[in-house]
Amino acid sequence: MSGTDDKSDVGADGTRAGSGGTGPGTDGTGPSTGGTGPGTGAGTNTGPAPGADAASTPGAGGDGTGAPPALTTPRGRRPVVAALMLGMALAAIDGTIVSTAVPQIVGDLGGFTVFSWLFSGYLLAVTVTLPLYGKLSDTFGRKPVLIAGIILFLVGSVLCAAAWNMAALIAFRIVQGLGGGALQGTVQTIAADLYPLKERPRIQAKLSTVWATSAVAGPVVGGLLAGYADWRWIFLINLPVGAVALWLVVRHLHEPSRPRPAARPRVDWAGALAVFATGTLLLTALVQGGVAWPWLSTPSLGLFGASAVLAALTVVIERRAAEPIIPGWVWRRRTIASVNLALGALGLLMVAPTVFLPTYAQSVLGLGPIAAGFVLSVMTLSWPVTAALSDRVYNRIGFRLTAIIGIGAALLILLAFPLLPYPGEPWHPALLMLLLGAALGLFQLPLIVGVQSTVGWAERGTTTASVLFCRQVGQSIGAALFGAVANGVLAARLLDAPVTGLPDDLDAVARALEDPGTLSAAATDYLRRAVDSAVDHVYIGAAGAAALALLALITLAPRRFPVITEAAEAPRTTGAADRQDTPS
C-alpha cells in the first residue's frame, strides 16, 4: 500500500518493465520471449523450455535489490536445512499435539467454556504477525528474525508448561503464536534463499514432509504424553528440538554482508500495530461468531464494524509510511496478487477435510478417533510426493498452468465427495483424500516457488509472508463460513426430525452419536444422515473455493511468471568452509 512500485508486472507474457522513472530495461529486466532474453552485464541467459515461465535477468545488483541469493554446496546447506525442518516441526506439530491433550488440560485447569482459545489465540498471533516478520526479515535479515522466533516460541512453551489456570495458558499460547509467526514465514523465505529455482522443489518437498509427519505423529505423541506422563510435557518437548534448531541456525546460517543503507532503516510500527489490531478484531469475529455469540448479535456486528474501520485506517497509514509493513506492490503486481488470492482460497477449502472429515468419519462411518485420523492423514502422504515431482511439470508448461491443472483436479475431487454412497466404506473418502492431496501438491508448491522466484532477496520475505497471511485468513474465514453452513443444514434437517429432544448443532450431534445407546435406531440413523448431508454441503462449498482459486489464476495470473534467474546473481555461502558453486 505504499506509493512506489519499483517492479510492476505487465502483459500476459510475463515480461516486466522497470519503473521509478528509468524506463524498461534499466533495472536489468528486459522483454523476454520464448524463454530467452537479454540481460545487462550477464550475457545471454538460457531460460525455461518453450511454454514455461519467462525469465527476466537482473541487473548489476544481482536481483535488482543489491543482495544476492544463497547458493551453497549441498554439504554446507545440510545443517541449515536441518535447522529449517526442526523449526518448521515446532510450528507444524503444535496444533495436533495440543488437541489430543485437551481433556487432560481441562480436567486439571478447568475452563471448558474457553478452551477453544488455546487454538484460536495461537492462530490469531501467528496470522497477524506474519506481515510484520516478513518486512523485518527483508529489512534486517532472515537470521535475527528466525532466532527471535525460535526463542519466543520456546519461552512461550516454558510458560505454557508452568500455567496455573486456563487464562494463563491461553495468554502463554499467544506468546507461543508470536514466535510461531516468525517460524512459519521466515523458514519458507530462507528455503527460497538457499536454493536456486530448479532445486527449490527439493527443499519445499522436505518441508511438506515435515507437515505430513507432524499430522500423523502429533496425535500419537500428544496422546502418549497426556496419558502416561503429564500434559505439560507436550510443551516441554519443544525445548530440545528448538535448542538444536537454534544452535544450527546460529552456527551455520550466514547471510551476505549487504551495503550499508544511506539512511537508518525505519520500522513502520504504526502500520504494524494497525495490521495487528485489524487482524485481531477480524479473526476474533470470525472465530467466535456463531460459537460464543450469534452472528447478528451486537458483539459480532461490533467486531466486524471496528475491523472495517481499522482496515481503512491501516490503508491510510501504510500509504504514508516510508517502509510499509504491507507494501502496495504486493497487490499491484499481478503475479503476487493472483497467488495471494489463490492460496487464500486454498486455506478456505482446506477447512473441509481438516475440520469436517474427522467428524464425518466418526459420526457417519462409525470409526474410532484413530481410524478417523488415518482417513484424513492419507492426504498428507500424497501431497509431498506430487509437490516433489511438480518441477518436472512446471519446468515444461509453467507455474500457472501446472497450478491450474492441480486446482482443477481438486475441484472435481471435492465435487465427488457428495456422490459417495451412504454410509459407504472408509476407503471411499480415504481414496478421495489421497487424490486430493496429490492435486493440491501440484497446485500449492508451483505457486509458492513461482511467486518467490519473481522477486529479489529484499522483497522475498514480504512476498512469502503475504502468501502465508492470505492462506491463514482464508482458513479462518473458512472455519466460520463452513461452520455456519454445517449448522444451518443440521438445523433444517432436525426441524422436522421424527423424534424430539435431539441436539441441534454439529458438536452436540457428534457427541450424541459417540454414545448411540441413548438414542433409538431410527434417531441414530436420522442423525447420521443429517451429518452426512451437512458435510456434503461443506464439500460443495470447498469446491466453490477451489473454483475461486481457479478463476483467480485464469483471469489475474500472467501466462508466464516473470522469473528472476540466478545466472546473473553473485553466489554466497551459508558456512565459512563452503566453496562457491557455479550457477547452472
Side-chain angles (χ1 to χ4, degrees), residues 31-57:
S32 174
T33 59
T36 60
T40 57
T44 302
N45 169 47
T46 302
D53 297 281
S56 56
T57 306

Side-chain angles (χ1 to χ4, degrees), residues 1-6 135 139 263-272 314-329 332:
M1 299 174 191
S2 65
T4 304
D5 181 15
D6 56 344
K135 184 63 180 179
T139 304
R264 182 179 179 182
R266 289 182 292 176
V267 178
D268 178 24
W269 293 115
T314 302
V315 171
V316 173
I317 293 174
E318 294 296 84
R319 282 182 173 176
R320 295 179 177 179
E323 296 290 339
I325 295 296
I326 304 180
W329 53 260
R332 286 196 296 270

Side-chain angles (χ1 to χ4, degrees), residues 16-367:
R16 182 187 289 166
S19 59
T22 58
T26 56
D27 65 350
T29 59
S32 174
T33 59
T36 60
T40 57
T44 302
N45 169 47
T46 302
D53 297 281
S56 56
T57 306
D63 57 4
T65 63
L71 298 174
T72 70
T73 63
R75 187 175 69 88
R77 284 193 298 237
R78 285 172 189 162
V80 181
V81 170
L84 297 184
M85 295 180 70
L86 289 173
M88 186 62 77
L90 290 174
I93 204 170
D94 179 83
T96 54
I97 197 172
V98 172
S99 62
T100 57
V102 165
Q104 289 77 15
I105 294 174
V106 172
D108 187 13
L109 300 181
F112 177 79
T113 57
V114 295
F115 84 88
S116 64
W117 273 98
L118 290 177
F119 309 98
S120 301
Y122 180 88
L123 176 65
L124 283 169
V126 168
T127 304
V128 300
T129 55
L130 277 169
L132 173 61
Y133 287 128
K135 184 63 180 179
L136 290 177
S137 73
D138 283 343
T139 304
F140 299 105
R142 328 294 194 212
K143 186 174 181 177
V145 174
L146 182 58
I147 290 174
I150 295 175
I151 292 174
L152 199 54
F153 190 92
L154 296 182
V155 169
S157 298
V158 172
L159 293 174
C160 286
W164 53 91
N165 58 33
M166 185 61 74
L169 183 57
I170 290 171
F172 299 148
R173 283 282 289 164
I174 293 175
V175 174
Q176 244 190 336
L178 295 177
L183 287 174
Q184 290 195 28
T186 313
V187 165
Q188 291 279 6
T189 305
I190 294 175
D193 290 342
L194 279 175
Y195 286 83
L197 174 59
K198 70 177 183 179
E199 296 183 45
R200 281 177 194 156
R202 187 187 309 172
I203 181 62
Q204 290 292 347
K206 290 179 180 179
L207 296 179
S208 296
T209 303
V210 170
W211 284 95
T213 304
S214 300
V216 177
V220 176
V221 175
L224 289 175
L225 291 176
Y228 297 99
D230 186 272
W231 63 264
R232 299 178 190 274
W233 281 100
I234 67 175
F235 298 107
L236 293 176
I237 199 174
N238 292 329
L239 299 183
V241 177
V244 173
L246 188 62
W247 180 81
L248 288 173
V249 170
V250 172
R251 176 69 179 81
H252 294 283
L253 178 60
H254 298 278
E255 295 190 278
S257 56
R258 293 181 292 155
R260 184 182 297 274
R264 182 179 179 182
R266 289 182 292 176
V267 178
D268 178 24
W269 293 115
L273 181 61
V275 171
F276 189 90
T278 303
T280 299
L281 291 183
L282 177 60
L283 294 179
T284 301
L286 292 171
V287 168
Q288 295 299 102
V291 179
W293 48 70
W295 283 109
L296 297 180
S297 65
T298 300
S300 278
L301 297 178
L303 285 171
F304 280 120
S307 61
V309 172
L310 282 176
L313 179 61
T314 302
V315 171
V316 173
I317 293 174
E318 294 296 84
R319 282 182 173 176
R320 295 179 177 179
E323 296 290 339
I325 295 296
I326 304 180
W329 53 260
V330 167
W331 293 106
R332 286 196 296 270
R333 298 183 193 174
R334 290 176 54 195
T335 306
I336 302 175
S338 61
V339 172
N340 282 344
L341 293 175
L343 291 185
L346 173 64
L348 194 69
L349 73 85
M350 282 299 296
V351 171
T354 57
V355 176
F356 291 92
L357 184 63
T359 298
Y360 172 88
Q362 294 182 65
S363 300
V364 178
L365 303 180
L367 301 179

